[in-house]
Amino acid sequence: MPDTLIVTRPLAQAGELAQRLREAGRDVVVFPLLDIQPLPDPTALRAVLARLTDFALVAFVSPNAIDATFAQLSAWPVTLPLAVMGEGSRRALARHGVSAPHYQISSPHDTERTDSQTLLLALDLERLRGRRVLILRGESGRELLADALRAAGVVVEQVAAYRRSVVPLDAARAQQLGTLLATPHGWIITSSQALQGLLESAAHVDPLQGVAKLQQQHFYVPHRRIAETALACGLQHIHLTDAGDDGLLTALQSRP
């Protein structure tokens, strides 16, 4: 495995993982590919939070959705169940004072597979049939969870809590990316959108060789969907890890 690891998470979420990697003896570069921003107009989010009692369950798609929601909310109703994808979201809830056993929080039983499909297996869909479920997410996202809930007879409402965009490629970032592409490194990619942004940036920095240089890099991804995106883009050195920081660190430690 390359000595240097590139952490590409949004800046606010990159620090903890970078520190753990450094403690494990790795050289780390933080190079965020996505930027998480508040909504320019949170009116719709505030309106739905004002009627949380309308819902039988609220599902958060990510820690970003949790942080953005609680920025608009003073406290969570104790009787309102929540659902999250993984341990990162459980920790985000805990930072806001929401944790078991005081609150009912559903999440995938298999902590090594944390996505919409495994979350569905953890939900009591029969209890939710005919009732309302709120999904809080970014401005864009996959529809799998919402579609599956609707297919089970659940009334679904989705509301954006934050905005996610590719970090602009200014002169300083372009120079840094060019340097990183010059030799093989290990890139930790946790989003298909981030991967697409990296490909576009590499092609912009080096129109002739940028993508070819990316094909010499190693990519560590926590989800099969991201791995499939990488393969479809012609990337070759793809390592699928378990979900979460622990799964990533275990995979990295098992490689020379």
Side-chain angles (χ1 to χ4, degrees):
M1 183 185 71
D3 290 334
T4 300
L5 295 171
I6 316 300
V7 176
T8 66
R9 284 178 176 171
L11 188 58
Q13 294 142 27
E16 181 179 351
L17 176 58
Q19 182 61 30
R20 292 184 68 181
L21 290 169
R22 292 186 179 110
E23 291 172 353
R26 300 294 187 182
D27 292 328
V28 177
V29 173
V30 174
F31 188 78
L33 293 174
L34 295 179
D35 188 23
I36 304 301
Q37 301 172 334
L39 296 172
D41 181 2
T43 301
L45 175 61
R46 290 172 179 168
V48 79
L49 294 179
R51 54 182 182 86
L52 284 176
T53 54
D54 290 352
F55 301 98
L57 175 74
V58 177
F60 294 93
V61 301
S62 68
N64 293 320
I66 292 168
D67 291 338
T69 296
F70 278 82
Q72 304 290 337
L73 191 67
S74 58
W76 191 261
V78 176
T79 58
L80 178 58
L82 309 91
V84 297
M85 299 292 184
E87 292 306 306
S89 289
R90 279 187 175 271
R91 289 194 297 270
L93 286 175
R95 290 196 301 271
H96 297 286
V98 177
S99 60
H102 304 293
Y103 296 84
Q104 181 182 338
I105 306 172
S106 298
S107 62
H109 301 307
D110 184 353
T111 57
E112 295 181 356
R113 294 185 61 236
T114 54
D115 54 22
S116 298
Q117 293 169 312
T118 51
L119 175 59
L120 286 166
L121 297 175
L123 297 179
D124 186 348
L125 296 180
E126 188 59 36
R127 183 187 71 84
L128 293 173
R129 188 184 305 276
R131 305 180 74 184
R132 303 183 69 85
V133 168
L134 172 65
I135 299 176
L136 293 169
R137 63 176 199 172
E139 283 187 314
S140 62
R142 302 178 73 211
E143 298 292 331
L144 190 152
L145 179 61
D147 289 345
L149 288 172
R150 291 186 180 110
V154 179
V155 180
V156 177
E157 186 170 344
Q158 296 190 96
V159 174
Y162 65 96
R163 170 171 290 181
R164 181 176 60 185
S165 59
V166 175
V167 178
L169 190 68
D170 59 18
R173 279 179 60 83
Q175 182 177 11
Q176 184 181 12
L177 179 57
T179 300
L180 292 173
L181 292 177
T183 54
H185 298 302
W187 295 73
I188 297 169
I189 305 288
T190 55
S191 160
S192 293
Q193 183 183 4
L195 180 59
Q196 294 284 2
L198 177 59
L199 284 158
E200 292 172 7
S201 295
H204 180 82
V205 167
D206 188 344
L208 295 179
Q209 295 294 322
V211 174
K213 290 177 180 178
L214 270 185
Q215 292 173 343
Q216 303 305 311
Q217 308 290 319
H218 291 253
F219 295 90
Y220 297 87
V221 304
H223 198 285
R224 190 169 302 279
R225 183 178 69 253
I226 307 173
E228 291 169 352
T229 300
L231 285 170
C233 293
L235 303 181
Q236 302 169 9
H237 307 295
I238 305 163
H239 311 282
L240 184 62
T241 75
D242 290 335
D245 288 1
D246 290 340
L248 175 63
L249 286 161
T250 298
L252 291 170
Q253 288 167 358
S254 69
R255 303 187 65 82

mmCIF file of all heavy atoms in Angstrom, residues 177-206:
data_model
loop_
_atom_site.group_PDB
_atom_site.id
_atom_site.type_symbol
_atom_site.label_atom_id
_atom_site.label_comp_id
_atom_site.label_asym_id
_atom_site.label_seq_id
_atom_site.Cartn_x
_atom_site.Cartn_y
_atom_site.Cartn_z
ATOM 1 N N LEU A 177 -3.223 19.176 -6.265
ATOM 2 C CA LEU A 177 -3.685 17.957 -6.910
ATOM 3 C C LEU A 177 -2.658 17.456 -7.928
ATOM 4 O O LEU A 177 -2.388 16.254 -8.019
ATOM 5 C CB LEU A 177 -5.041 18.190 -7.586
ATOM 6 C CG LEU A 177 -5.629 16.989 -8.327
ATOM 7 C CD1 LEU A 177 -5.769 15.784 -7.395
ATOM 8 C CD2 LEU A 177 -6.982 17.348 -8.938
ATOM 9 N N GLY A 178 -2.081 18.369 -8.685
ATOM 10 C CA GLY A 178 -1.052 17.971 -9.635
ATOM 11 C C GLY A 178 0.109 17.278 -8.955
ATOM 12 O O GLY A 178 0.640 16.268 -9.458
ATOM 13 N N THR A 179 0.495 17.777 -7.790
ATOM 14 C CA THR A 179 1.582 17.156 -7.027
ATOM 15 C C THR A 179 1.173 15.774 -6.517
ATOM 16 O O THR A 179 1.953 14.814 -6.585
ATOM 17 C CB THR A 179 1.973 18.051 -5.841
ATOM 18 O OG1 THR A 179 2.400 19.325 -6.333
ATOM 19 C CG2 THR A 179 3.101 17.426 -5.035
ATOM 20 N N LEU A 180 -0.043 15.654 -6.020
ATOM 21 C CA LEU A 180 -0.508 14.370 -5.504
ATOM 22 C C LEU A 180 -0.606 13.315 -6.602
ATOM 23 O O LEU A 180 -0.357 12.126 -6.355
ATOM 24 C CB LEU A 180 -1.869 14.546 -4.827
ATOM 25 C CG LEU A 180 -1.888 15.354 -3.534
ATOM 26 C CD1 LEU A 180 -3.307 15.587 -3.058
ATOM 27 C CD2 LEU A 180 -1.072 14.662 -2.452
ATOM 28 N N LEU A 181 -0.962 13.733 -7.799
ATOM 29 C CA LEU A 181 -1.116 12.780 -8.900
ATOM 30 C C LEU A 181 0.223 12.327 -9.464
ATOM 31 O O LEU A 181 0.283 11.337 -10.205
ATOM 32 C CB LEU A 181 -1.954 13.394 -10.018
ATOM 33 C CG LEU A 181 -3.429 13.654 -9.707
ATOM 34 C CD1 LEU A 181 -4.107 14.332 -10.887
ATOM 35 C CD2 LEU A 181 -4.144 12.349 -9.357
ATOM 36 N N ALA A 182 1.290 13.010 -9.114
ATOM 37 C CA ALA A 182 2.593 12.700 -9.707
ATOM 38 C C ALA A 182 3.122 11.344 -9.268
ATOM 39 O O ALA A 182 3.902 10.708 -9.992
ATOM 40 C CB ALA A 182 3.597 13.798 -9.373
ATOM 41 N N THR A 183 2.727 10.881 -8.072
ATOM 42 C CA THR A 183 3.159 9.579 -7.582
ATOM 43 C C THR A 183 1.949 8.849 -6.985
ATOM 44 O O THR A 183 0.981 9.500 -6.554
ATOM 45 C CB THR A 183 4.248 9.720 -6.501
ATOM 46 O OG1 THR A 183 3.757 10.587 -5.466
ATOM 47 C CG2 THR A 183 5.525 10.293 -7.088
ATOM 48 N N PRO A 184 1.976 7.511 -6.941
ATOM 49 C CA PRO A 184 0.826 6.765 -6.408
ATOM 50 C C PRO A 184 0.627 6.985 -4.907
ATOM 51 O O PRO A 184 1.587 6.954 -4.136
ATOM 52 C CB PRO A 184 1.188 5.303 -6.704
ATOM 53 C CG PRO A 184 2.189 5.363 -7.799
ATOM 54 C CD PRO A 184 2.973 6.616 -7.549
ATOM 55 N N HIS A 185 -0.608 7.219 -4.527
ATOM 56 C CA HIS A 185 -0.991 7.358 -3.129
ATOM 57 C C HIS A 185 -2.238 6.530 -2.882
ATOM 58 O O HIS A 185 -2.833 5.972 -3.819
ATOM 59 C CB HIS A 185 -1.270 8.823 -2.780
ATOM 60 C CG HIS A 185 -0.085 9.724 -2.936
ATOM 61 N ND1 HIS A 185 1.102 9.532 -2.268
ATOM 62 C CD2 HIS A 185 0.106 10.849 -3.687
ATOM 63 C CE1 HIS A 185 1.973 10.471 -2.592
ATOM 64 N NE2 HIS A 185 1.383 11.286 -3.456
ATOM 65 N N GLY A 186 -2.643 6.444 -1.633
ATOM 66 C CA GLY A 186 -3.896 5.786 -1.287
ATOM 67 C C GLY A 186 -4.970 6.816 -1.009
ATOM 68 O O GLY A 186 -4.828 7.648 -0.111
ATOM 69 N N TRP A 187 -6.043 6.794 -1.788
ATOM 70 C CA TRP A 187 -7.123 7.780 -1.668
ATOM 71 C C TRP A 187 -8.313 7.140 -0.962
ATOM 72 O O TRP A 187 -8.823 6.109 -1.405
ATOM 73 C CB TRP A 187 -7.543 8.276 -3.054
ATOM 74 C CG TRP A 187 -6.479 9.039 -3.773
ATOM 75 C CD1 TRP A 187 -5.341 8.539 -4.347
ATOM 76 C CD2 TRP A 187 -6.437 10.451 -3.995
ATOM 77 N NE1 TRP A 187 -4.596 9.544 -4.911
ATOM 78 C CE2 TRP A 187 -5.249 10.735 -4.719
ATOM 79 C CE3 TRP A 187 -7.300 11.503 -3.667
ATOM 80 C CZ2 TRP A 187 -4.893 12.018 -5.110
ATOM 81 C CZ3 TRP A 187 -6.953 12.790 -4.054
ATOM 82 C CH2 TRP A 187 -5.765 13.045 -4.767
ATOM 83 N N ILE A 188 -8.763 7.761 0.115
ATOM 84 C CA ILE A 188 -9.933 7.280 0.846
ATOM 85 C C ILE A 188 -11.143 8.040 0.317
ATOM 86 O O ILE A 188 -11.268 9.254 0.509
ATOM 87 C CB ILE A 188 -9.759 7.495 2.350
ATOM 88 C CG1 ILE A 188 -8.556 6.677 2.854
ATOM 89 C CG2 ILE A 188 -11.032 7.095 3.099
ATOM 90 C CD1 ILE A 188 -8.138 7.013 4.260
ATOM 91 N N ILE A 189 -12.016 7.328 -0.374
ATOM 92 C CA ILE A 189 -13.165 7.937 -1.049
ATOM 93 C C ILE A 189 -14.441 7.406 -0.416
ATOM 94 O O ILE A 189 -14.689 6.192 -0.415
ATOM 95 C CB ILE A 189 -13.164 7.614 -2.556
ATOM 96 C CG1 ILE A 189 -11.848 8.034 -3.214
ATOM 97 C CG2 ILE A 189 -14.360 8.276 -3.237
ATOM 98 C CD1 ILE A 189 -11.653 9.508 -3.365
ATOM 99 N N THR A 190 -15.273 8.275 0.133
ATOM 100 C CA THR A 190 -16.488 7.846 0.822
ATOM 101 C C THR A 190 -17.764 8.315 0.134
ATOM 102 O O THR A 190 -18.841 8.257 0.715
ATOM 103 C CB THR A 190 -16.473 8.345 2.277
ATOM 104 O OG1 THR A 190 -16.276 9.765 2.291
ATOM 105 C CG2 THR A 190 -15.346 7.686 3.058
ATOM 106 N N SER A 191 -17.646 8.754 -1.114
ATOM 107 C CA SER A 191 -18.814 9.254 -1.842
ATOM 108 C C SER A 191 -18.580 9.140 -3.339
ATOM 109 O O SER A 191 -17.497 9.488 -3.827
ATOM 110 C CB SER A 191 -19.082 10.724 -1.478
ATOM 111 O OG SER A 191 -19.863 11.382 -2.437
ATOM 112 N N SER A 192 -19.586 8.652 -4.055
ATOM 113 C CA SER A 192 -19.481 8.600 -5.517
ATOM 114 C C SER A 192 -19.389 10.007 -6.101
ATOM 115 O O SER A 192 -18.684 10.227 -7.095
ATOM 116 C CB SER A 192 -20.694 7.864 -6.101
ATOM 117 O OG SER A 192 -20.686 6.499 -5.734
ATOM 118 N N GLN A 193 -20.084 10.962 -5.497
ATOM 119 C CA GLN A 193 -20.011 12.341 -5.969
ATOM 120 C C GLN A 193 -18.596 12.879 -5.820
ATOM 121 O O GLN A 193 -18.082 13.577 -6.702
ATOM 122 C CB GLN A 193 -20.989 13.220 -5.190
ATOM 123 C CG GLN A 193 -21.021 14.677 -5.670
ATOM 124 C CD GLN A 193 -21.953 15.544 -4.833
ATOM 125 O OE1 GLN A 193 -22.527 15.087 -3.852
ATOM 126 N NE2 GLN A 193 -22.089 16.815 -5.217
ATOM 127 N N ALA A 194 -17.933 12.539 -4.712
ATOM 128 C CA ALA A 194 -16.552 12.974 -4.514
ATOM 129 C C ALA A 194 -15.639 12.359 -5.569
ATOM 130 O O ALA A 194 -14.742 13.033 -6.098
ATOM 131 C CB ALA A 194 -16.088 12.584 -3.115
ATOM 132 N N LEU A 195 -15.853 11.096 -5.885
ATOM 133 C CA LEU A 195 -15.032 10.423 -6.888
ATOM 134 C C LEU A 195 -15.202 11.071 -8.258
ATOM 135 O O LEU A 195 -14.219 11.316 -8.975
ATOM 136 C CB LEU A 195 -15.390 8.945 -6.950
ATOM 137 C CG LEU A 195 -14.607 8.107 -7.955
ATOM 138 C CD1 LEU A 195 -13.119 8.156 -7.675
ATOM 139 C CD2 LEU A 195 -15.109 6.665 -7.936
ATOM 140 N N GLN A 196 -16.427 11.391 -8.618
ATOM 141 C CA GLN A 196 -16.673 12.061 -9.893
ATOM 142 C C GLN A 196 -15.985 13.425 -9.915
ATOM 143 O O GLN A 196 -15.410 13.826 -10.936
ATOM 144 C CB GLN A 196 -18.177 12.222 -10.117
ATOM 145 C CG GLN A 196 -18.939 10.916 -10.293
ATOM 146 C CD GLN A 196 -18.737 10.291 -11.657
ATOM 147 O OE1 GLN A 196 -17.999 10.802 -12.491
ATOM 148 N NE2 GLN A 196 -19.388 9.162 -11.900
ATOM 149 N N GLY A 197 -16.037 14.127 -8.798
ATOM 150 C CA GLY A 197 -15.371 15.424 -8.723
ATOM 151 C C GLY A 197 -13.870 15.299 -8.871
ATOM 152 O O GLY A 197 -13.221 16.138 -9.517
ATOM 153 N N LEU A 198 -13.290 14.250 -8.294
ATOM 154 C CA LEU A 198 -11.849 14.026 -8.421
ATOM 155 C C LEU A 198 -11.467 13.743 -9.870
ATOM 156 O O LEU A 198 -10.462 14.271 -10.375
ATOM 157 C CB LEU A 198 -11.435 12.859 -7.532
ATOM 158 C CG LEU A 198 -9.961 12.445 -7.603
ATOM 159 C CD1 LEU A 198 -9.046 13.599 -7.209
ATOM 160 C CD2 LEU A 198 -9.710 11.220 -6.713
ATOM 161 N N LEU A 199 -12.248 12.945 -10.551
ATOM 162 C CA LEU A 199 -11.979 12.650 -11.956
ATOM 163 C C LEU A 199 -12.024 13.915 -12.804
ATOM 164 O O LEU A 199 -11.155 14.148 -13.654
ATOM 165 C CB LEU A 199 -12.980 11.617 -12.478
ATOM 166 C CG LEU A 199 -12.736 10.175 -12.032
ATOM 167 C CD1 LEU A 199 -14.023 9.367 -12.136
ATOM 168 C CD2 LEU A 199 -11.648 9.537 -12.888
ATOM 169 N N GLU A 200 -13.043 14.730 -12.583
ATOM 170 C CA GLU A 200 -13.164 15.972 -13.353
ATOM 171 C C GLU A 200 -12.005 16.914 -13.048
ATOM 172 O O GLU A 200 -11.463 17.565 -13.960
ATOM 173 C CB GLU A 200 -14.504 16.635 -13.032
ATOM 174 C CG GLU A 200 -15.712 15.842 -13.537
ATOM 175 C CD GLU A 200 -17.025 16.404 -13.038
ATOM 176 O OE1 GLU A 200 -17.001 17.489 -12.412
ATOM 177 O OE2 GLU A 200 -18.076 15.767 -13.271
ATOM 178 N N SER A 201 -11.608 16.992 -11.793
ATOM 179 C CA SER A 201 -10.503 17.873 -11.414
ATOM 180 C C SER A 201 -9.191 17.394 -12.008
ATOM 181 O O SER A 201 -8.380 18.195 -12.498
ATOM 182 C CB SER A 201 -10.393 17.948 -9.886
ATOM 183 O OG SER A 201 -11.538 18.551 -9.324
ATOM 184 N N ALA A 202 -8.960 16.075 -11.996
ATOM 185 C CA ALA A 202 -7.730 15.527 -12.563
ATOM 186 C C ALA A 202 -7.649 15.823 -14.055
ATOM 187 O O ALA A 202 -6.578 16.183 -14.577
ATOM 188 C CB ALA A 202 -7.660 14.031 -12.307
ATOM 189 N N ALA A 203 -8.773 15.693 -14.744
ATOM 190 C CA ALA A 203 -8.786 15.975 -16.183
ATOM 191 C C ALA A 203 -8.547 17.454 -16.453
ATOM 192 O O ALA A 203 -7.954 17.825 -17.473
ATOM 193 C CB ALA A 203 -10.115 15.526 -16.781
ATOM 194 N N HIS A 204 -8.995 18.313 -15.535
ATOM 195 C CA HIS A 204 -8.783 19.747 -15.711
ATOM 196 C C HIS A 204 -7.322 20.119 -15.456
ATOM 197 O O HIS A 204 -6.740 20.923 -16.190
ATOM 198 C CB HIS A 204 -9.692 20.524 -14.753
ATOM 199 C CG HIS A 204 -9.541 22.012 -14.852
ATOM 200 N ND1 HIS A 204 -10.174 22.762 -15.819
ATOM 201 C CD2 HIS A 204 -8.816 22.888 -14.099
ATOM 202 C CE1 HIS A 204 -9.847 24.037 -15.663
ATOM 203 N NE2 HIS A 204 -9.026 24.136 -14.628
ATOM 204 N N VAL A 205 -6.740 19.533 -14.411
ATOM 205 C CA VAL A 205 -5.353 19.842 -14.063
ATOM 206 C C VAL A 205 -4.389 19.365 -15.135
ATOM 207 O O VAL A 205 -3.411 20.048 -15.469
ATOM 208 C CB VAL A 205 -5.007 19.211 -12.699
ATOM 209 C CG1 VAL A 205 -3.502 19.231 -12.438
ATOM 210 C CG2 VAL A 205 -5.741 19.935 -11.577
ATOM 211 N N ASP A 206 -4.664 18.173 -15.683
ATOM 212 C CA ASP A 206 -3.789 17.590 -16.705
ATOM 213 C C ASP A 206 -4.656 16.952 -17.774
ATOM 214 O O ASP A 206 -4.980 15.764 -17.703
ATOM 215 C CB ASP A 206 -2.858 16.557 -16.066
ATOM 216 C CG ASP A 206 -1.789 16.052 -17.034
ATOM 217 O OD1 ASP A 206 -1.940 16.249 -18.252
ATOM 218 O OD2 ASP A 206 -0.808 15.437 -16.552
#
